[in-house]
Amino acid sequence: MSDAEVAIARSHIDIWKTIATSDASYTLVLEDDVWFGHDFGQLVDQAWSEMKVANCARPAFDMLYLSYQEVRHGAPKEFVSKTVFRPERGLWYLSGYVLSKKGALLLLELLPCRGPVDLWINHMFREMDVRALRRSVISQRLDLSSTNSYSILPTLSRIGIIDGGNTALFQRRPTCSPVFAFGASGFRMSSLAMALLMLGYRCCSDFDRIPECELDSLLNGRTDRVFDAYVNIESLVPHARVLTQRFPHAKFIVIDEVAGAAEALDGGALEGADVLRLYGETPNTWRGLCEHLKVAPPIAPYPSVRYFGQRRYRSASVDELTTRPAKQLRHDQSPWIVEPRASWKGIRASAFNQMEASFSSRVIFEDNLADIQPARWLLRNDTFPGNLGLFRPANVIPQLSGGLSLTVIKEPLGVRNLSAAAVSSRSNFLFGRFEVALQATNVPGLVTGFFLHRESPRQEIDVEITGNRPDRLLVNVFYNPGSEGAKFDYGYRGTPVSIPLGFDASKTLHRFAIEWDPCFVRWFVDGELVHCRVTWGPTPIPHLPMTLHVNTWPTRSHELAGRLALRALPASAIVRRISVDSFNADTRPQLASVPEDI
């Protein structure tokens, strides 16, 4: 931190210490370069009254923003009342805020502060009850400059000294490669593979063999490989000695069950190689691995990954073939996306034999949406940065003919001038089949979506129809690595593909389905397979539980759906039926074999 950043942070921290030891339940904190909006008192009083009603007593927040500036395109948020919202992140400035005594104690527990205090505090929102007025009522004076332009934080992130979750950390691939890991198949190998992904490696793992083109590149020591790490690949074991010769600077990792056990590779195949040995009783931590690979550890915990068994590589099957001419669109750049190349179509594999036995129950239902079941569905009251609208429950409207309409309306809401509609599942699902009967809108600038989604890490499987091209289907996958809670949420394009439908999806109802398996994702339209993704074609298959969503919303992106046709609003999409056949991720048993120190 610069001297200025340290001074500002310490001034706030000293005030937090004073509040924590005071008798005051709430304290208004102001920087010295502020001025008040003319309706400051009125809006604060209104917000206070709404929070008292919501909390059935005095307000129970930790921190209330009265002054802020949202990040570009707006901060993700959820409205808790007409005047107050709960931000997920994306607020700048600490010019004026109300801090409770409880909130001051919590902030002190969350120290140290890394970087500008108003940036750092955004990373603490998930640990606190943070709220904000619907608009800022305290501003910083206009005759003086007050910015974070002097910050050295971006530079520190780029060179790897600070890991703040910046995608710049992955614009350069790891220098120590390739990496080969051998050992007894099991969750430790899968967890190691996930750890390598989190370190920025493009890691191929848990296959009996790999495509011939990739094996040929390895055995001939070429650099035109798809991957830079290989974990638990059975067909590479006989070639271990050749790999040490072809790649003298490679890093090897061997996992044995116990110290002193027989080597995973016979005959001293790795003699003279740079080998890291891990043993079954050794706690899985970043330290040994990162020292071996000469990389900085991420801020996320070392991953623990469910192991379903080694996947069996196979050739393309008839049930994956489709004649639909899919068009690849611009995609994100990350270690977890394989760049398009003529010789690479991903890795086709059979489903895991142990998958069914790994879950305690299935969720199977078909909902005609005649009435919204609160235990099953949530009507959203929030937004996200790319959304020009605010999702509102009132925009989800039952239809006399059955089902629901999801409507986009012009109306001033303070943070947005449009309202939209979204329905989300309360349950989390892991693999299965998900189908909707849907009639999309044809208004340019609007998107009708049916998709699975999660955050931390972000993973997503999409069906989208854009209002400017309702005759095409947009399918997409977002993949980020890690276990539950790992804050890998990179990418805003994903890996989209556009597919001709052969009809206008805004004219009548059609069935759209997603089939999600550990080895593939398939998309169906009216029962016909229109597209299939396999592992690393071009991303890994999402592996963590996700919630199910259906929505209609106005996008900021003209590239995605065209310029918004405001005069055509209000506009609606129709949802008639949703069916689910999936494993219940909320009741899945824990891995008995995973030690508590992971």
Side-chain angles (χ1 to χ4, degrees):
M1 297 170 68
S2 68
D3 289 344
E5 290 170 336
V6 171
I8 293 169
R10 288 186 62 177
S11 68
H12 283 278
I13 292 169
D14 286 344
I15 289 173
W16 300 345
K17 291 177 180 177
T18 302
I19 296 171
T21 57
S22 73
D23 295 328
S25 299
Y26 309 95
T27 303
L28 173 62
V29 182
L30 299 171
E31 291 186 355
D32 60 1
D33 59 346
V34 300
W35 59 276
F36 294 85
H38 71 278
D39 55 353
F40 163 83
Q42 178 182 353
L43 195 57
V44 172
D45 284 345
Q46 181 179 349
W48 206 264
S49 298
E50 291 174 4
M51 289 189 291
K52 287 174 68 175
V53 171
N55 297 125
C56 301
R58 59 186 184 182
F61 62 83
D62 295 321
M63 181 176 180
L64 173 66
Y65 274 82
L66 305 181
S67 173
Y68 60 86
Q69 177 177 316
E70 294 190 44
V71 295
R72 185 183 180 190
H73 300 324
K77 59 176 67 71
E78 175 188 5
F79 269 81
V80 296
S81 69
K82 181 180 179 181
T83 309
V84 180
F85 67 83
R86 182 176 288 113
E88 294 181 18
R89 60 185 178 277
L91 299 185
W92 290 100
Y93 302 160
L94 287 177
S95 305
Y97 58 94
V98 178
L99 190 63
S100 69
K101 181 181 176 73
K102 178 169 68 76
L105 290 167
L106 182 55
L107 279 170
L108 294 174
E109 290 178 3
L110 293 171
L111 294 174
C113 172
R114 294 191 172 102
V117 64
D118 58 343
L119 170 63
W120 169 81
I121 208 165
N122 276 262
H123 295 287
M124 305 300 116
F125 281 5
R126 294 190 180 184
E127 312 295 330
M128 305 173 63
D129 185 354
V130 179
R131 306 180 192 181
L133 298 189
R134 72 176 183 226
R135 60 180 175 82
S136 179
V137 293
I138 299 176
S139 299
Q140 293 182 298
R141 57 189 295 178
L142 302 179
D143 57 336
L144 292 175
S145 176
S146 180
T147 73
N148 284 319
S149 60
Y150 51 77
S151 177
I152 64 171
L153 196 66
T155 301
L156 295 178
S157 293
R158 282 195 295 273
I159 64 177
I161 294 176
I162 291 180
D163 184 348
N166 193 317
T167 55
L169 292 175
F170 297 106
Q171 290 176 357
R172 291 185 178 181
R173 302 295 294 275
T175 56
C176 292
S177 69
V179 175
F180 301 97
F182 304 100
S185 296
F187 73 92
R188 294 186 190 280
M189 296 298 287
S190 296
S191 296
L192 172 62
M194 187 59 65
L196 290 170
L197 287 168
M198 295 168 70
L199 292 174
Y201 284 87
R202 186 171 295 154
C203 180
C204 178
S205 67
D206 296 326
F207 290 102
D208 63 340
R209 58 193 179 97
I210 55 179
E212 289 299 321
C213 59
E214 188 73 0
L215 180 62
D216 184 65
S217 293
L218 281 174
L219 297 184
N220 288 284
R222 299 204 304 267
T223 59
D224 60 343
R225 307 182 310 273
V226 172
F227 302 103
D228 40 34
Y230 305 82
V231 176
N232 194 26
I233 306 298
E234 184 179 332
S235 63
L236 291 184
V237 174
H239 303 293
R241 187 183 296 276
V242 174
L243 295 174
T244 64
Q245 296 169 352
R246 296 290 185 268
F247 303 99
H249 300 293
K251 298 287 187 177
F252 290 83
I253 302 169
V254 176
I255 296 182
D256 291 326
E257 286 303 313
V258 294
E263 292 187 5
L265 305 172
D266 294 330
L270 300 183
E271 183 177 355
D274 189 356
V275 182
L276 171 67
R277 294 195 177 279
L278 301 173
Y279 300 103
E281 73 275 14
T282 303
N284 286 324
T285 62
W286 288 114
R287 181 172 180 176
L289 177 63
C290 292
E291 288 179 354
H292 184 56
L293 301 176
K294 297 181 174 61
V295 295
I299 56 176
Y302 190 92
S304 175
V305 176
R306 182 185 296 274
Y307 180 69
F308 292 112
Q310 200 170 52
R311 294 170 284 186
R312 297 199 172 277
Y313 174 76
R314 59 183 175 83
S315 301
S317 59
V318 175
D319 63 344
E320 291 176 0
L321 299 179
T322 173
T323 58
R324 297 290 178 111
K327 179 183 178 182
Q328 292 187 347
L329 306 180
R330 282 203 292 173
H331 60 78
D332 289 323
Q333 300 290 328
S334 85
W336 317 299
I337 299 174
V338 176
E339 298 84 2
R341 55 178 75 187
S343 61
W344 186 256
K345 303 299 181 184
I347 304 177
R348 290 175 171 82
S350 58
F352 301 108
N353 296 329
Q354 304 173 26
M355 189 177 71
E356 293 277 352
S358 299
F359 297 88
S360 60
S361 64
R362 294 182 75 97
V363 178
I364 302 175
F365 66 81
E366 182 172 316
D367 195 332
N368 61 11
L369 304 174
D371 60 284
I372 293 291
Q373 300 182 40
R376 177 176 290 168
W377 303 111
L378 169 69
L379 305 185
R380 301 197 68 87
N381 184 26
D382 56 10
T383 188
F384 56 90
N387 185 357
L388 286 170
L390 173 67
F391 290 131
R392 302 192 71 193
N395 290 29
V396 180
I397 305 168
Q399 298 296 289
L400 293 176
S401 56
L404 306 168
S405 72
L406 307 180
T407 304
V408 177
I409 303 171
K410 289 189 294 183
E411 55 179 328
L413 298 172
V415 294
R416 298 288 193 273
N417 290 318
L418 300 165
S419 60
V423 179
S424 303
S425 69
R426 293 190 180 273
S427 297
N428 290 284
F429 305 108
L430 185 58
F431 311 130
R433 181 181 172 88
F434 309 86
E435 184 173 280
V436 64
L438 181 71
Q439 181 177 345
T441 176
N442 63 354
V443 173
L446 299 189
V447 178
T448 303
F450 177 66
F451 59 101
L452 294 144
H453 171 84
R454 64 163 293 111
E455 297 282 0
S456 297
R458 181 186 181 184
Q459 297 184 358
E460 188 170 318
I461 303 173
D462 290 343
V463 164
E464 290 182 319
I465 299 170
T466 59
N468 63 331
R469 290 301 305 269
D471 60 336
R472 299 190 71 88
L473 181 69
L474 195 67
V475 303
N476 203 348
V477 171
F478 288 81
Y479 180 86
N480 284 272
S483 296
E484 190 77 39
K487 297 180 181 179
F488 283 66
D489 298 323
Y490 306 134
Y492 67 97
R493 292 185 187 276
T495 53
V497 170
S498 179
I499 302 166
L501 286 170
F503 57 80
D504 187 334
S506 69
K507 299 301 183 183
T508 187
L509 290 163
H510 291 271
R511 293 181 293 119
F512 301 90
I514 297 169
E515 283 189 359
W516 173 30
D517 180 273
C519 298
F520 62 77
V521 180
R522 296 184 181 124
W523 288 266
F524 294 81
V525 176
D526 294 330
E528 177 192 350
L529 176 68
V530 296
H531 193 64
C532 179
R533 294 272 187 97
V534 297
T535 304
W536 287 107
T539 68
I541 301 300
H543 66 285
L544 291 172
M546 295 191 277
T547 49
L548 184 65
H549 307 260
V550 60
N551 61 21
T552 304
W553 54 283
T555 177
R556 293 183 184 273
S557 172
H558 296 171
E559 179 186 6
L560 174 61
R563 185 179 295 275
L564 179 60
L566 286 170
R567 294 183 178 180
L569 300 181
S572 301
I574 304 298
V575 183
R576 187 63 55 84
R577 175 182 56 81
I578 295 177
S579 62
V580 171
D581 182 354
S582 173
F583 295 106
N584 188 342
D586 295 323
T587 60
R588 67 191 188 282
Q590 297 297 314
L591 285 175
S593 56
V594 178
E596 294 181 358
D597 55 17
I598 293 181

